[in-house]
Amino acid sequence: MVAAVRRAHHALGGGRGSSMPVSAPAAGAATRPADAQAPQSAQSAGTALNLLVIEDDPAGDLSVPRMLDACGKPVRVRTARNLTEAARLLTDDVHCILLDLALPHEEGGDHHGDGAPAAAGPCPAEAAPTGACAGDDEADGTPASGTSASGSPATEPDELHILRRVLRMAPRHAVLALTDGTDAERAADAVRVGAQDYLFRDELDGRLLNRAIRYAVARKRADLAQRQLTESRLRAQENSRLERGLLPRPLLEGSELRFAARYRPGRSRALLGGDFYDTVRTPDGTVHAMIGDVCGHGPDEAALGVELRIAWRALTFAGLSGDALLATLQKVLENERDSEEIFATLCTVDIAPDGRSADVHLAGHPSPLFAGSGGATPRLLPEDVSGPALGLLPQVGWPRRRVTLGRSWSLMMYTDGLIEGRVDEGRTDSTQRLGQQGMLDIVARRVAEGARGERLLEETMTEVRRLNGGELTDDVAVVLLDRER
């Protein structure tokens, strides 16, 4: 085979008496496993194309004539006589492997790149070549080494067994299979197993070899990119299903109150943010609602918000409320947060079974907005009775405020992401924020127009986004409870 490669190199203009000896890695040089990272791009500026030839030609030598790639740079060739030697020469800067399928079968079982026997069991998904996996020669439907298609022992080892071993040894490298021109079926099988292309010895010339090498490298890069894209999509779908499952499902069966909510995380392409809310009705008829905000906007904050919400629901059903509940939630936060600087604001509302009054606890959170009946102007509930955010101070209390709601009313709880949007229709140079008063004005206009429930919430959110000039950048959660009599 070396002679065939030499003829191909000469056809490319490399036969002017110059040759490039094969260079092995320097003694003592550190090399990483072949699957540690993808080989360098053959198109990188200033990077020569590196080819590893795996063949066993006793008449050949370990030097080949000079060959130029498409950019006019010399192709560097390394030659290995067996897979053990190939594993030593297979470094990250190798772009393509030219494998002679007629390589003699090596006894002693499969080997990984370090020459050690392959471990039993499936290979990693990100490292497995198409249609091949360690210890699974029959994954593609072809008979295993040493077995004929009928299942009887084969007289000679299956040539594709060598290819499978190379694919496992170099899952991120392009592979070209070299075989006889009379063996077209096996050549096609080699591509189906995982090789990027095949070449026939008797048809090999310089132009064909050059094109095949560059094509194989480009195709391998495209295959790896497609696999990574597919895996990313699957992970994104799995994350979406997980996040949707973690969003709250209010439990208000038997209650006369109407519930509406809007939720939008500030993180791009996420379903959960650091804001959280929940609403449940306990057996005594009390409706418990809460809304909170973990400082920060990353996935860790989102996870902590989910933990606090679930803990709040469990503690509420267990009968805790007020100071006892908030103190326990603070312990949860202190034990689950990554840093002592992480805190969470919280607002809880416990609405009496008759719906006419409620107990409000504020832990560093904005006060709810209240709209009574009879055309009364919406107002904010007083914030003078408030405690610190969870996680800021140890052994503190959170005062309770009892508020009268009346027969018909609306109560809107929200996070600060709603009131921190800009009000100059998105002007980036504007420092003016909507604030609580701006939110009050919007709600007052909508209430005067007869908006209630879902309509009130939707029109309020639409106006806030319009003033901001687009979607709000912070996490936003809004909960609206109302009662009509």
Side-chain angles (χ1 to χ4, degrees), residues 99 101-102 156-164 179 183 186:
L99 172 65
L101 294 182
E156 295 181 1
D158 180 7
E159 289 182 1
L160 295 184
H161 177 69
I162 298 296
L163 174 60
R164 291 189 183 95
T179 187
D183 206 357
R186 188 173 301 280

Side-chain angles (χ1 to χ4, degrees), residues 109-443:
D110 287 355
H111 292 74
H112 284 303
D114 57 0
C123 57
E126 68 274 12
T130 304
C133 187
D136 188 9
D137 284 352
E138 297 182 358
D140 58 2
T142 59
S145 173
T147 304
S148 66
S150 62
S152 60
T155 56
E156 295 181 1
D158 180 7
E159 289 182 1
L160 295 184
H161 177 69
I162 298 296
L163 174 60
R164 291 189 183 95
R165 291 179 62 182
V166 170
L167 293 173
R168 290 194 294 270
M169 181 176 68
R172 298 185 181 275
H173 291 74
V175 177
L176 286 171
L178 188 68
T179 187
D180 291 330
T182 59
D183 206 357
E185 183 176 351
R186 188 173 301 280
D189 285 342
V191 174
R192 181 171 57 82
V193 167
Q196 274 60 60
D197 204 349
Y198 63 85
L199 298 170
F200 294 133
R201 293 187 186 89
D202 53 354
E203 297 180 359
L204 192 64
D205 60 34
R207 185 179 300 277
L208 177 62
L209 178 61
N210 190 297
R211 180 192 62 80
I213 291 173
R214 288 187 284 113
Y215 167 77
V217 171
R219 179 177 176 183
K220 185 64 177 181
R221 292 174 60 201
D223 289 346
L224 290 174
Q226 182 61 42
R227 181 180 300 170
Q228 292 171 354
L229 178 60
T230 300
E231 292 173 352
S232 297
R233 287 175 175 171
L234 291 175
R235 283 194 297 268
Q237 293 172 2
E238 183 178 348
N239 290 340
S240 295
R241 288 193 297 269
L242 175 63
E243 291 184 6
R244 279 194 296 270
L246 294 175
L247 289 172
R249 292 179 173 84
L251 302 178
L252 291 174
E253 184 178 357
S255 173
E256 62 182 358
L257 302 183
R258 295 189 305 178
F259 171 88
R262 294 293 184 274
Y263 186 86
R264 183 185 180 279
R267 292 185 298 135
S268 175
R269 297 185 298 275
L271 295 178
L272 286 174
D275 291 2
F276 54 98
Y277 69 89
D278 205 350
T279 305
V280 299
R281 182 175 183 266
T282 49
D284 64 355
T286 303
V287 172
H288 307 267
M290 72 89 171
I291 194 166
D293 182 2
V294 177
C295 67
H297 309 289
D300 292 338
E301 289 75 16
L304 183 55
V306 171
E307 291 182 77
L308 292 175
R309 181 189 68 78
I310 295 174
W312 176 87
R313 175 175 284 199
L315 293 171
T316 299
F317 279 127
L320 272 68
S321 63
D323 252 9
L325 185 148
L326 292 172
T328 306
L329 287 178
Q330 175 157 281
K331 291 181 180 179
V332 173
L333 183 145
E334 290 172 346
N335 285 280
E336 297 296 332
R337 63 186 177 184
D338 293 332
S339 167
E340 292 185 357
E341 297 178 354
I342 299 296
F343 64 90
T345 65
L346 195 69
C347 170
T348 67
V349 177
D350 305 313
I351 302 172
D354 63 4
R356 291 175 170 268
S357 63
D359 292 336
V360 179
H361 289 82
L362 298 177
H365 200 85
S367 181
L369 181 149
F370 174 75
S373 60
T377 302
R379 59 184 175 85
L380 294 175
L381 295 181
E383 292 183 325
D384 55 328
V385 179
S386 178
L390 303 182
L392 289 183
L393 300 173
Q395 299 179 349
V396 295
W398 293 269
R400 180 190 68 178
R401 174 176 285 277
R402 174 66 59 86
V403 297
T404 300
L405 301 176
R407 292 177 58 87
S408 300
W409 48 265
S410 295
L411 188 68
M412 192 172 81
M413 308 163 66
Y414 53 92
T415 57
D416 59 7
L418 179 67
I419 59 178
E420 290 184 351
R422 304 178 188 276
V423 295
D424 289 337
E425 299 188 2
R427 281 178 49 193
T428 57
D429 59 344
S430 173
T431 59
Q432 185 177 358
R433 303 291 179 173
L434 177 66
Q436 289 178 299
Q437 185 58 51
M439 178 191 64
L440 268 175
D441 294 340
I442 293 174
V443 173

